[in-house]
Amino acid sequence: MEKLFKALTFICLTVLLLVGQAVTIFAQPKDFSQATEDLYEPKTNIVLPATVVWASDSQAFSKVADEVRPNTVMVKVNKDLSVYSMSGLRLAEHLTEYLLKTKDKCLTALYIDSAETAQAVKKFLADTDAADMFVVASSQQAELVKIATSFSNKVFGVIDFSDQNYSSKDLSKIIECAMSNEARVVMLPEYLANRSNLDYIRSRLTSVWVKTADNTRSIYTQLTNGVNGIVCEDFNQVYTAMESFNDGRALLRPSFITGHRGLPSTHVENTIRGAQAAVEAGADAIETDIYLSKDGQVFVLHDNSLKRLFNRPDVTDVTQLTLAELQAVDFDMTDEPKEEAPNSVLNSNNENRTKEGRDYLEISYDPELDKIPSMREYLKTFQDSDVVHFVELKTNDPAISAAIRDLAEELGMSDRIILISFNGGFYGTNDGYGYSDTINVLKSTREEWPEKPLGYLGSDGSVFARHDDMIAENGLIGAATLDLMGALEPYNATYNPYYGAMSYDVIKAGRHRGLTCWPWTYNNEEAFAEAYLNGIYGLTTNYTTWASNFPRRFDTSDLKLQNGEEISFKLLNLKGEEVKVKPELIVLEGNPVKMDEHGKLVASETGGSLVMLRANFELNVNDNLPEDFDNSYSLYSNPFLITVYEEEK
């Protein structure tokens, strides 16, 4: 009897202890609304390196507690909110328990696979105000992300496209699926993640994570591809690879270049010939501005008034004219000083002879061709081009979204159209135009065209401008980033600030959260160079020609060579032209090999070597950078295999 009593007492005490532990866990403050500030940063010279996402195993808690730890841990969660590793081992009875142990050290990506789980996660987010985490679902269940994140503006979506056999022909569908389901990140399988495909997706304002095998070639390939994130099982191996880039600034993801209103440094702004000139100069994208005419035609113009460029101050609202009436108005090309002709193109074009002392500018003009373009004729000019169009919605007429959508679909160009907006409406004034913040253009556009990537423009005094102050006041970069993303997330939009109102700290922190930054408008050489060398995702400029000769990417392939044979490769610039360079050969694995000053292989033995090329450059922007400006950087090729063989005798 005494033994039975002792046994029962032990059982009761054990139960009470377990209950007490559970109560302690769930009684602790569940304030998961704060940003994670202490994300690990590797010691690397890579500019804006990829964020590292770990597919968790049973050691999740101990690995998160280490100094060297992943930026994001991906775990599975079920409808009961129990948490499992990606290999299926239970980590925690409840998501609350898991987050209490991990929230302050890394971001969490919750992988869900059922509607019940999506609803449970949604309720958890609502009850706890949890923020600064991801929800992930497969492409076949992409709507689960939209369900789970619909309560919160500070929880971010990821769609996993490794569950089906996708090809390069599906890239536009991949982007549309992500946008429609409130995801800013797509997760690709490695076979789909070549440089061309990645550039296609990233140029359309979408972040790319790649599921990367734990081998040297795979890791270095995705690093040199400039992916936004690497999803891996061995994050230490990824960090080791990152930290091997330790010899000067490594620019693995050169900025996309967008021609602002075409090429206004040489042509009349927002004309077809100006846009063609920007494309010929190598622009990846063209920014343009649109309105709806009185007869319902989409046309290209920046101002709501015809005062500037046309010297018609009597026309204060261009939307009250038909397309024919608009195209009948000639540009004012009066060649007089600004005091005599302040509204002429030569004095008031977006770039002109009176701006920043650039009196050397000459504006090309053809009176027969340079008219206010309809968007139809504008787009038809580029139907056979792969250039992307950043289309700014200027009007406060909600019909503009459907009009540009219908036109893009009719011309088969939907995949090349990106919509951007200040999220307000412009209206005519005697000075040209004004701005209203009472109209939610992004909201109406998102409702009309949900699969379309959107960019949220911002300037001084906007929501974007306050983050430097937030950081200066409390030093919480993650909090400032989360605040910004809360403003962007209702539209699943990117960060498109005036370059003087952006924060590099926020951009660096934002990369871990799928945030990309597309600032405007760079007309100052030093600011342009600084942004380019800091790896900013896309730069909008009136001077595409500044970047025309920038080396962009290596073209390499596996080689089978004898000792002394030439190592073949190409390095292409922004315009796709070949750049002559003598790079260094870096051996990643295998036999030691070198490249001599003539570009020929120097090998001491036969066999294989996994190598990549590195070339060092100094950025030249219009020959107008300060003498003490550090303009040095390096470009790297993808890794490739050199197999050395001896000729049979």
Side-chain angles (χ1 to χ4, degrees):
M1 188 69 177
E2 183 178 351
K3 289 183 179 180
L4 178 61
F5 177 77
K6 288 182 178 179
L8 289 172
T9 300
F10 176 77
I11 292 171
C12 290
L13 289 172
T14 301
V15 170
L16 287 172
L17 179 61
L18 291 173
V19 170
Q21 289 177 339
V23 169
T24 299
I25 289 172
F26 290 103
Q28 290 186 50
K30 306 183 189 65
D31 185 8
F32 301 136
S33 66
Q34 303 303 308
T36 303
E37 297 286 348
D38 190 22
L39 295 178
Y40 177 73
E41 294 289 354
K43 296 177 178 62
T44 179
N45 286 335
I46 299 174
V47 176
L48 287 184
T51 192
V52 176
V53 182
W54 178 48
S56 61
D57 61 23
S58 61
Q59 303 300 310
F61 291 133
S62 62
K63 290 183 178 180
V64 166
D66 288 342
E67 179 183 355
V68 179
R69 57 189 181 277
N71 304 127
T72 295
V73 176
M74 189 178 299
V75 296
K76 292 180 179 178
V77 62
N78 64 15
K79 63 183 178 64
D80 298 319
L81 297 184
S82 295
V83 181
Y84 296 81
S85 71
M86 294 305 292
S87 56
L89 298 173
R90 177 173 284 185
L91 299 174
E93 288 289 333
H94 195 272
L95 183 54
T96 300
E97 176 189 353
Y98 177 83
L99 291 177
L100 284 170
K101 295 181 179 180
T102 62
K103 182 75 166 64
D104 63 338
K105 291 294 185 182
C106 64
L107 304 177
T108 296
L110 303 174
Y111 205 115
I112 61 177
D113 62 4
S114 73
E116 293 85 356
T117 302
Q119 290 292 348
V121 169
K122 177 183 177 179
K123 185 176 186 304
F124 176 84
L125 297 176
D127 290 345
T128 63
D129 197 25
D132 212 13
M133 63 180 67
F134 297 95
V135 173
V136 190
S138 74
S139 65
Q140 300 304 297
Q141 297 178 300
E143 71 281 355
L144 299 182
V145 168
K146 187 174 183 179
I147 293 170
T149 61
S150 60
F151 173 81
S152 176
N153 289 341
K154 297 182 180 180
V155 175
F156 323 119
V158 181
I159 308 298
D160 179 7
F161 291 90
S162 64
D163 62 330
Q164 297 288 313
N165 188 27
Y166 292 97
S167 73
S168 298
K169 296 179 180 179
D170 299 314
L171 297 181
S172 63
K173 294 179 181 178
I174 285 173
I175 296 170
E176 289 175 358
C177 176
M179 294 300 122
S180 298
N181 291 287
E182 311 294 343
R184 65 173 64 248
V185 178
V186 298
M187 186 157 56
L188 298 185
E190 200 171 350
Y191 70 82
L192 197 57
N194 60 51
R195 183 63 178 271
S196 176
N197 290 348
L198 293 172
D199 281 352
Y200 180 99
I201 295 174
R202 289 184 311 217
S203 67
R204 286 144 177 88
L205 308 189
T206 306
S207 291
V208 185
W209 292 355
V210 176
K211 284 188 170 180
T212 306
D214 292 330
N215 64 69
T216 301
R217 183 164 192 169
S218 292
I219 292 170
Y220 276 90
T221 294
Q222 296 314 325
L223 287 176
T224 53
N225 275 341
V227 295
N228 301 102
I230 288 182
V231 181
C232 60
E233 294 183 358
D234 186 349
F235 58 87
N236 282 300
Q237 189 176 6
V238 176
Y239 285 139
T240 298
M242 284 183 172
E243 292 178 352
S244 71
F245 292 85
N246 56 12
D247 188 14
R249 183 190 284 119
L251 195 60
L252 304 186
R253 190 191 311 112
S255 305
F256 293 112
I257 304 298
T258 298
H260 184 241
R261 308 185 203 172
L263 191 61
S265 50
T266 62
H267 289 71
V268 181
E269 66 176 72
N270 270 328
T271 57
I272 291 174
R273 290 200 316 125
Q276 289 174 312
V279 172
E280 290 168 4
D284 300 291
I286 304 298
E287 186 269 351
T288 193
D289 310 283
I290 62 170
Y291 292 90
L292 271 179
S293 67
K294 186 177 181 179
D295 53 343
Q297 301 298 306
V298 184
F299 66 94
V300 178
L301 191 66
H302 182 272
D303 299 1
N304 189 264
S305 162
L306 291 184
K307 178 180 179 181
R308 189 178 65 89
L309 304 180
F310 305 92
N311 198 27
R312 287 288 304 275
D314 56 305
V315 180
T316 59
D317 187 354
V318 292
T319 66
Q320 296 306 304
L321 299 182
T322 66
L323 178 62
E325 290 171 332
L326 288 161
Q327 293 189 323
V329 181
D330 291 326
F331 287 100
D332 178 7
M333 299 302 296
T334 303
D335 189 3
E336 297 290 346
K338 186 172 184 179
E339 294 74 19
E340 302 296 326
N343 297 319
S344 75
V345 169
L346 296 176
N347 294 318
S348 63
N349 202 46
N350 190 228
E351 282 300 305
N352 57 73
R353 62 187 178 186
T354 66
K355 193 170 184 178
E356 296 191 21
R358 301 189 192 281
D359 54 1
Y360 57 83
L361 290 179
E362 294 183 8
I363 304 300
S364 174
Y365 174 67
D366 186 324
E368 297 299 319
L369 298 176
D370 292 332
K371 302 287 186 181
I372 295 175
S374 74
M375 194 60 175
R376 176 181 297 278
E377 53 192 353
Y378 187 96
L379 289 178
K380 286 186 74 172
T381 304
F382 299 101
Q383 265 188 303
D384 297 327
S385 168
D386 59 1
V387 70
V388 176
H389 297 275
F390 281 57
V391 179
E392 183 178 344
L393 305 176
K394 287 292 189 185
T395 180
N396 58 12
D397 185 345
I400 191 71
S401 302
I404 184 62
R405 179 202 62 200
D406 294 346
L407 179 59
E409 290 178 350
E410 176 192 336
L411 298 177
M413 297 179 68
S414 295
D415 68 317
R416 284 165 276 175
I417 303 295
I418 305 298
L419 299 182
I420 60 178
S421 174
F422 280 92
N423 206 27
F426 281 82
Y427 58 88
T429 71
N430 288 333
D431 293 326
Y433 62 91
Y435 175 73
S436 169
D437 60 2
T438 61
I439 301 154
N440 194 321
V441 175
L442 289 175
K443 181 176 184 293
S444 61
T445 302
R446 188 114 184 89
E447 292 169 351
E448 188 67 49
W449 206 356
E451 67 271 25
K452 181 52 52 186
L454 301 178
Y456 194 159
L457 297 166
S459 58
D460 291 327
S462 72
V463 65
F464 299 163
R466 66 180 185 235
H467 296 103
D468 278 335
D469 291 338
M470 290 179 65
I471 294 168
E473 290 170 4
N474 56 36
L476 299 179
I477 297 170
T481 306
L482 194 58
D483 179 76
L484 167 65
M485 296 187 72
L488 299 173
E489 199 64 21
Y491 321 106
N492 202 30
T494 49
Y495 178 34
N496 296 53
Y498 165 61
Y499 78 87
M502 72 179 188
S503 165
Y504 280 110
D505 287 329
V506 167
I507 294 167
K508 291 175 183 177
R511 80 184 197 279
H512 295 304
R513 295 155 171 96
L515 180 68
T516 57
C517 180
W518 306 76
W520 52 272
T521 297
Y522 288 93
N523 303 317
N524 172 276
E525 290 92 338
E526 185 174 358
F528 182 83
E530 178 186 46
Y532 193 85
L533 293 172
N534 273 286
I536 300 302
Y537 302 86
L539 308 180
T540 298
T541 179
N542 293 325
Y543 295 88
T544 300
T545 49
W546 285 351
S548 294
N549 295 320
F550 286 4
R552 174 66 70 89
R553 68 181 186 278
F554 280 100
D555 182 6
T556 58
S557 59
D558 289 350
L559 301 172
K560 189 174 181 180
L561 302 172
Q562 290 180 275
N563 193 28
E565 283 193 275
E566 186 175 353
I567 299 173
S568 62
F569 67 89
K570 287 184 179 180
L571 177 62
L572 305 178
N573 66 15
L574 184 70
K575 292 192 294 185
E577 300 169 339
E578 189 170 353
V579 178
K580 297 299 181 182
V581 67
K582 293 181 179 179
E584 177 185 358
L585 196 66
I586 298 173
V587 178
L588 301 175
E589 281 184 347
N591 295 335
V593 292
K594 294 182 180 180
M595 183 166 55
D596 68 17
E597 60 181 3
H598 304 293
K600 295 183 178 180
L601 178 68
V602 178
S604 58
E605 56 186 299
T606 60
S609 303
L610 183 66
V611 301
M612 61 183 182
L613 300 172
R614 178 178 66 207
N616 300 321
F617 298 95
E618 291 185 349
L619 194 70
N620 179 13
V621 183
N622 197 34
D623 294 322
N624 199 24
L625 294 178
E627 289 186 6
D628 60 348
F629 186 88
D630 180 8
N631 62 345
S632 62
Y633 69 101
S634 298
L635 291 181
Y636 291 78
S637 75
N638 284 149
F640 59 100
L641 187 65
I642 292 179
T643 302
V644 182
Y645 72 99
E646 288 184 359
E647 187 175 9
E648 293 184 8
K649 296 180 180 179

